[in-house]
Amino acid sequence: MEIFLQQLVNGLTIGSIYALVALGYTMVYGVLKLINFAHGDLVALSAYIGLVILMQLAGVLSPALLILITFISTMVITAIGGIVLERAAYRPLRRAPRLSAVVSALGASMVIENGIMLIWGPMPKIYPASVVPNINFDLHGVYISLMQILVLVISLVLMVALYLFVNRTKLGTAMRACAIDQDAARLMGIDVDKVIVTTFVIGSALGAVGGLFIGMYYRGITFNMGWIYGLNAFVAAIIGGIGNIPGAMLGGMLLGIFNAFISGYISSSWSMALTYVLLIIIMIFRPTGILGERVAEKV
Amino acid sequence: MSSDKLLVVEDLFVSYGSIEAVKGISFSVNRGELVTILGANGAGKTTTMRTISGLIKAKSGSIRYKNIELTSMPAHKIVALGISQAPEGRRVFGTLTVEENLFLGAYTKEKLNKKVLSWIYELFPRLKERKNQLAGTLSGGEQQMLAIGRALMSEPELLLLDEPSLGLAPVLVKTIFDTIKQIKEEGTTILLVEQNAKAALKLADRGYVLEVGKIVMEGTSKELISSPKIQEAYLGKKKAG
Ligand SMILES: Nc1ncnc2c1ncn2[C@@H]1O[C@H](COP(=O)(O)OP(=O)(O)OP(=O)(O)O)[C@@H](O)[C@H]1O
Ligand SMILES: [Mg+2]
């Protein structure tokens, strides 16, 4: 029972990170029907940017302020990265055949990944220990660290905020409308370009939080980590139903918990392989993912 | 006289790649009028409407609304100027509720005008009953009501309606046309595209007939109804004698 609960805590932590990154894939897919392969690399870039900011400000600020400033500035910089990515790699191809956009996405992914390597080198970088004080709480034999609590709470707050934004605000409703029918959205007076940029901004900023959590929780970051974490998050988005926002949250959590149980009960070396077994099983029974993208009436 | 002209289209050409869909048409709509464009399948009616709304770019020619050139303006700005459209095929947002669809219709407005909303619910009581239902689960007729209601939410001065009667049962066609009449009487200028020439001409002040991208005839509704060519081709009447 203790192993079960312990792995559940670990799984929810990893799952939150997957979910944050998965949201970026799913939101862009929802609006553009495009898989933004560069999203994972933007997440990697955010981990590096966050590290630079942390190192610059460490010792100058109190821990709480340091974390706050690091998060906000990394989110802003990564969001700008998302805007640049959309302008440079996707907007010029908006009316081009689908395959061109896919190739452009892969190209952008490689540019960012190699850019990181050129700037920071091919060797892993290590986040300083205990950016978040290393405190563990013992709940009857189940340990939860302050870092884990931070991940869970911040992720939950961000996801609730996103849910409210998408479902309760005018711009959020416009975003859902653009995902259904862009021309009809234009006829409502919606500036579709602006909505698309907003989607990239939100997806990238959430991805930046994911990237920072990866750095602070696992500590080791590498220039090609975008592929590994990106792929997992992408799988999470598909499991939940690509294009569906609650789906990405659910898929991330499920995949995190699934991976944690494999590590706990089998061996972490099986987690990648079994992740794909899970994906295949879900695709067989629910080809559109668990919360599936509800089929739009007419394209 | 010319100050009455709300919309003036001049020598408009529109093409899809190498296919010319609209080949130099000119027409105008006066303030307060209901003007109809008639034409068979593929005549270029929808293309014309989409070009006015800014969804497609004209190849050449001009579209002026209150003397403002629209041809190089993005679609969302055209809505803000006061032109809205209920497009062919309704295009309601199926996975949003009826009310969310209506709210999106008022997207260009700073604040939602409650009076307009209740007026639309008066025009279409069924929409009020179903306001929390997903738009995709409405019947075809109800979706058409929603498409028109949604277009009215921005309080347009010029309303574009592209085949509002398409695919509806005769009873519903009558309901929709009665409502269009009511909308006109409340002061909205309307450009109506229809294949149902009889119903459209009954309502319209003037009309244009479009054939393969060109305007082949124009006149007041009376003139068009009594024209033998229209009677034969669009009103299904045999030539006398
Ligand atoms: N997206 C497109 N790509 C290429 N050709 C198109 C496209 N849309 C329309 N066309 C062509 O342009 C011409 C005019 O089409 P349009 O839809 O404007 O006709 P319409 O008068 O609205 O017809 P209907 O009564 O069937 O709705 C047709 O020949 C059509 O095949
Ligand atoms: Mg048409």
Side-chain angles (χ1 to χ4, degrees):
Chain A
M1 192 60 188
E2 266 156 30
I3 296 187
F4 178 85
L5 288 175
Q6 186 64 59
Q7 292 309 328
L8 192 63
V9 168
N10 296 346
L12 285 171
T13 311
I14 311 163
S16 300
I17 298 175
Y18 288 158
L20 288 172
V21 180
L23 283 166
Y25 284 106
T26 235
M27 289 177 73
V28 167
Y29 184 85
V31 173
L32 286 182
K33 304 292 170 278
L34 165 89
I35 293 167
N36 176 13
F37 285 110
H39 181 59
D41 301 287
L42 216 51
V43 169
L45 181 63
S46 72
Y48 278 84
I49 291 169
L51 181 59
V52 170
I53 295 171
L54 269 180
M55 300 314 270
Q56 292 298 317
L57 298 179
V60 182
L61 301 170
S62 68
L65 205 56
L66 175 65
I67 292 172
L68 188 71
I69 303 254
T70 304
F71 270 83
I72 291 174
S73 41
T74 307
M75 285 168 82
V76 170
I77 295 170
T78 312
I80 294 170
I83 296 173
V84 172
L85 176 69
E86 193 270 331
R87 280 283 155 100
Y90 302 133
R91 189 173 299 190
L93 296 171
R94 200 77 65 69
R95 282 169 222 291
R98 188 64 48 88
L99 190 61
S100 316
V102 173
V103 172
S104 186
L106 289 168
S109 162
M110 280 187 251
V111 167
I112 299 173
E113 186 175 317
N114 287 291
I116 295 173
M117 192 183 70
L118 282 174
I119 298 172
W120 286 286
M123 298 304 288
K125 293 276 174 194
I126 308 294
Y127 263 61
S130 59
V131 177
V132 175
N134 194 7
I135 303 169
N136 283 286
F137 300 91
D138 181 352
L139 308 170
H140 305 287
V142 177
Y143 290 91
I144 181 163
S145 66
L146 186 59
M147 181 69 217
Q148 286 180 315
I149 293 173
L150 203 68
V151 170
L152 292 171
V153 171
I154 292 179
S155 304
L156 187 71
V157 168
L158 289 175
M159 286 188 234
V160 170
L162 178 67
Y163 185 83
L164 292 177
F165 167 75
V166 170
N167 289 291
R168 301 279 156 80
T169 69
K170 197 168 158 180
L171 189 55
T173 310
M175 196 175 274
R176 286 184 288 148
C178 288
I180 299 169
D181 185 337
Q182 285 194 12
D183 271 350
R186 285 190 179 92
L187 289 179
M188 302 299 105
I190 296 169
D191 182 348
V192 173
D193 281 341
K194 190 176 125 193
V195 170
I196 291 172
V197 170
T198 308
T199 309
F200 272 86
V201 164
I202 295 175
S204 306
L206 293 176
V209 176
L212 285 166
F213 282 157
I214 292 167
M216 292 161 78
Y217 187 61
Y218 293 106
R219 298 193 45 213
I221 58 173
T222 58
F223 74 94
N224 58 1
M225 68 185 252
W227 270 107
I228 304 146
Y229 290 101
L231 204 58
N232 268 312
F234 179 51
V235 168
I238 294 180
I239 287 176
I242 188 122
N244 183 299
I245 288 175
M249 301 176 186
L250 180 70
M253 291 298 176
L254 274 182
L255 194 60
I257 294 167
F258 182 76
N259 274 335
F261 283 140
I262 289 168
S263 305
Y265 289 109
I266 308 173
S267 149
S268 60
S269 53
W270 277 94
S271 71
M272 206 64 174
L274 291 179
T275 293
Y276 288 98
V277 173
L278 177 72
L279 176 66
I280 290 165
I281 291 172
I282 288 176
M283 288 298 101
I284 289 171
F285 291 103
R286 289 213 44 113
T288 54
I290 297 171
L291 297 184
E293 202 196 24
R294 290 155 298 185
V295 185
E297 356 7 285
K298 190 188 132 187
V299 186
Chain B
M1 195 60 202
S2 74
S3 65
D4 277 2
K5 290 202 164 138
L6 193 57
L7 184 81
V8 181
V9 174
E10 258 171 13
D11 210 19
L12 184 71
F13 283 81
V14 190
S15 39
Y16 300 98
S18 60
I19 304 165
E20 274 201 330
V22 169
K23 307 164 186 171
I25 62 171
S26 302
F27 65 93
S28 63
V29 182
N30 298 328
R31 217 176 277 272
E33 261 189 329
L34 196 162
V35 172
T36 184
I37 299 180
L38 307 174
N41 290 113
K45 306 182 296 294
T46 298
T47 305
T48 305
M49 296 293 248
R50 288 170 61 83
T51 312
I52 297 172
S53 278
L55 295 177
I56 339 175
K57 291 274 155 273
K59 207 170 94 188
S60 66
S62 91
I63 302 171
R64 282 191 313 280
Y65 170 75
K66 295 180 176 176
N67 272 321
I68 304 166
E69 183 60 50
L70 301 184
T71 42
S72 54
M73 200 178 277
H76 64 273
K77 292 203 174 141
I78 293 174
V79 179
L81 279 182
I83 302 180
S84 71
Q85 180 173 168
E88 183 179 62
R90 298 148 200 158
R91 309 282 283 263
V92 298
F93 301 108
T95 52
L96 304 188
T97 65
V98 168
E99 199 160 60
E100 282 175 326
N101 270 272
L102 289 173
F103 287 172
L104 280 173
Y107 190 80
T108 52
K109 296 281 162 201
E110 283 284 309
K111 254 190 88 201
L112 191 86
N113 187 340
K114 284 267 162 41
K115 274 194 201 137
V116 178
L117 185 64
S118 44
W119 174 52
I120 289 164
Y121 282 148
E122 250 170 63
L123 288 175
F124 304 111
R126 287 220 231 167
L127 295 183
K128 190 172 187 180
E129 288 161 29
R130 291 166 170 70
K131 66 179 180 186
N132 295 319
Q133 198 172 317
L134 293 185
T137 64
L138 297 178
S139 74
E142 289 161 354
Q143 288 191 14
Q144 188 60 62
M145 294 172 191
L146 179 56
I148 296 174
R150 189 179 66 172
L152 288 172
M153 286 294 288
S154 63
E155 303 171 62
E157 267 188 80
L158 175 62
L159 176 66
L160 310 178
L161 298 173
D162 193 349
E163 301 215 31
S165 74
L166 189 73
L168 301 187
V171 195
L172 271 173
V173 173
K174 191 176 174 317
T175 312
I176 294 283
F177 274 96
D178 285 347
T179 314
I180 295 172
K181 192 172 166 206
Q182 225 175 315
I183 295 166
K184 189 212 161 182
E185 280 162 3
E186 305 248 358
T188 308
T189 307
I190 299 174
L191 179 60
L192 169 71
V193 153
E194 261 301 333
Q195 286 199 43
N196 187 341
K198 200 172 157 190
L201 285 174
K202 229 193 220 167
L203 225 57
D205 298 301
R206 291 187 302 118
Y208 295 85
V209 179
L210 200 57
E211 269 175 22
V212 279
K214 287 189 172 140
I215 287 174
V216 293
M217 202 183 289
E218 61 177 278
T220 63
S221 296
K222 275 207 188 97
E223 287 164 1
L224 292 176
I225 290 172
S226 53
S227 138
K229 186 169 180 266
I230 298 283
Q231 292 196 348
E232 192 187 354
Y234 296 96
L235 300 174
K237 288 185 192 153
K238 287 260 151 57
K239 249 185 217 162

